[in-house]
Amino acid sequence: MTWIDDPEFTGDHPFGPQTLPYGVIDEGIAVRVGGQALPLRPIASSFGDRLAELVSADSLDPLLAADRPLWSELRARLLELVTATKAPQGAALARLSSARLPFTVGDYVDFYSSRHHAENVGKIFRPDGAALLPNYTHLPVGYHGRAGTVVVSGTDVVRPKGQRKGEHGPVFGPSVRLDIEAEVGFVCGGPVTSEVSTSAAADHVFGVVLVNDWSARDIQAWEYQPLGPFLAKSFATSVGAWITPLEALSRARVAPPTPANPLLPYLVEDADWGLDLALRVSWNDTIVSNPPFATMLWTFAQQLAHMTVNGATVRPGDLFASGTVSGPDKYQRGSFLELSWGGKEPVELKDGSSRTFLEDGDTVVITATAPGEDGTVVGLSEVAGTVRPAA
Ligand code: CA
């Protein structure tokens, strides 16, 4: 028994000592311990001077700007502290409820790394064309998104307004095809660097969060050619409040599927960067999908190598989202566009209602788990959001 009095702080629960994700609450930087939070500022003297300064900050920004050796040292020290039988002096548990966006989002990049998702969307949006474009298996397709509208889990999402295609020209109004995209995000850290090789990726990934990339499909279908997503995605992107450190996922590392064609040398990996994360998408309390992240074609290391190969830098606080996670089966699809096949196959919810796209008042919660050390389960903190009517 450790000194932490919380029934969920065990290896059988997703937020036991094997996980220890970081967040920020009213009391400052904290780690999640079961169903509660342990603020670090009051116990900062338990760490060395450098770490004490980092954990006493108001956000995770200074910690993200540190480096992997310090991240590892902090995690090792925390594990000692939370598994001890006696509480460190000054320690007091706090509620999770005041969790906020724990870092300043730098550049936000959204990829498109699920081959199944790309094929499904290709078939729905371009029924007469090839499902996959010729570049897809040669590079991780992505776009630069809008960092300023990344919001923390629990923030309401206002239905966006915009243009969509009408019978006699464009129509303006609230989106009628509001959707989700269940994704996994990597929070970047370490020194500002360009041309990051795949073998150096671990120096630049602090941890992992779940992402919901809310998407207005009607706005998207009208605006996306020839330059890609713009207003259909930039109104809100939700992220989990607690960042799971990369080290907590060491047992979840798997080899990703490889494309049939050879990769250019800068995209070849010398370690397994796929992650065996099992996602769950809940729509008004009905689990509608279980997307498997291990099926993603492109990994974080490849995304990072690709994004920086032209001289662009990665900076602490940058957020890389994976793209919608969809597996090969229907109930593994990570968007409602795919689950309802473009709105043609309604999804039944357990209250007896059915849906194609989101209605006002609907709540979506995405969670995920991964295998941890010694048979434990590592959790990724939920990303939740409720749709509010257009303003
Ligand atoms: Ca997306």
Side-chain angles (χ1 to χ4, degrees):
M1 278 296 285
T2 92
W3 64 272
I4 291 180
D5 184 16
D6 188 291
E8 294 175 23
F9 192 59
T10 70
D12 299 338
H13 286 89
F15 299 102
Q18 69 280 11
T19 307
L20 300 178
Y22 297 98
V24 174
I25 57 174
D26 284 348
E27 292 83 354
I29 293 175
V31 286
R32 182 169 176 175
V33 286
Q36 300 180 76
L38 172 65
L40 300 187
R41 193 179 289 149
I43 55 168
S45 61
S46 308
F47 306 96
D49 287 349
R50 180 81 178 105
L51 284 177
E53 186 188 329
L54 295 175
V55 302
S56 299
D58 292 328
S59 81
L60 292 174
D61 294 353
L63 184 61
L64 296 182
D67 55 29
R68 174 139 301 284
L70 271 172
W71 303 335
S72 296
E73 187 185 331
L74 174 59
R75 182 168 164 81
R77 185 71 189 112
L78 273 172
L79 190 60
E80 278 176 23
L81 285 174
V82 298
T83 53
T85 49
K86 190 167 172 293
Q89 193 168 13
L93 297 182
R95 294 173 355 147
L96 296 172
S97 54
S98 66
R100 60 195 66 160
L101 190 63
F103 66 105
T104 307
V105 181
D107 287 311
Y108 165 47
V109 188
D110 192 17
F111 287 91
Y112 197 54
S113 293
S114 162
R115 182 181 187 138
H116 303 291
H117 172 70
E119 285 176 343
N120 287 339
V121 172
K123 286 177 196 163
I124 294 168
F125 272 26
R126 297 182 301 275
D128 303 323
L132 280 189
L133 296 175
N135 60 3
Y136 189 80
T137 58
H138 294 275
L139 56 81
V141 170
Y143 69 96
H144 290 287
R146 188 151 189 87
T149 38
V150 174
V151 296
V152 74
S153 176
T155 306
D156 286 348
V157 172
V158 176
R159 181 179 298 273
K161 289 181 286 198
Q163 286 193 30
R164 62 179 183 271
K165 189 178 177 184
E167 242 175 86
H168 309 290
V171 175
F172 182 85
S175 169
V176 295
R177 292 192 140 207
L178 184 58
D179 194 1
I180 66 147
E181 292 191 337
E183 307 195 17
V184 174
F186 292 86
V187 179
C188 298
V192 176
T193 314
S194 69
E195 297 183 69
V196 180
S197 69
T198 54
S199 57
D203 293 339
H204 296 280
V205 55
F206 175 79
V208 178
V209 287
L210 290 171
V211 176
N212 185 347
D213 179 27
W214 305 90
S215 298
R217 301 301 180 192
D218 44 351
I219 298 173
Q220 182 181 359
W222 172 235
E223 75 174 2
Y224 88 109
Q225 288 177 320
L227 281 187
F230 189 39
L231 302 184
K233 305 246 180 198
S234 58
F235 55 95
T237 306
S238 302
V239 297
W242 299 86
I243 306 175
T244 298
L246 182 65
E247 279 176 293
L249 296 167
S250 56
R251 287 297 295 267
R253 301 278 284 266
V254 291
T258 45
N261 51 270
L263 295 176
L264 284 167
Y266 79 95
L267 291 171
V268 174
E269 298 176 315
D270 59 5
D272 290 339
W273 270 96
L275 285 176
D276 181 16
L277 305 175
L279 277 63
R280 272 176 302 279
V281 179
S282 150
W283 194 347
N284 295 348
D285 291 328
T286 301
I287 294 176
V288 293
S289 179
N290 294 277
F293 191 70
T295 61
M296 302 297 276
L297 184 64
W298 298 103
T299 69
F300 171 77
Q302 291 167 325
Q303 292 163 351
L304 181 62
H306 185 63
M307 198 213 76
T308 60
V309 77
N310 67 345
T313 51
V314 61
R315 300 180 297 175
D318 286 359
L319 175 66
F320 281 35
S322 61
T324 309
V325 184
S326 290
D329 299 331
K330 175 166 181 179
Y331 294 101
Q332 295 180 326
R333 296 173 186 163
S335 72
F336 301 152
L337 173 76
E338 294 164 87
L339 268 178
S340 71
W341 206 254
K344 293 186 192 126
E345 299 172 16
V347 177
E348 306 295 324
L349 303 185
K350 67 184 182 191
D351 66 0
S353 65
S354 68
R355 292 284 189 286
T356 50
F357 295 95
L358 288 159
E359 295 186 4
D360 292 342
D362 282 358
T363 295
V364 175
V365 182
I366 305 166
T367 56
T369 52
E373 298 290 343
D374 305 320
T376 60
V377 174
V378 171
L380 297 193
S381 220
E382 72 281 358
V383 59
T386 297
V387 177
R388 295 298 169 210

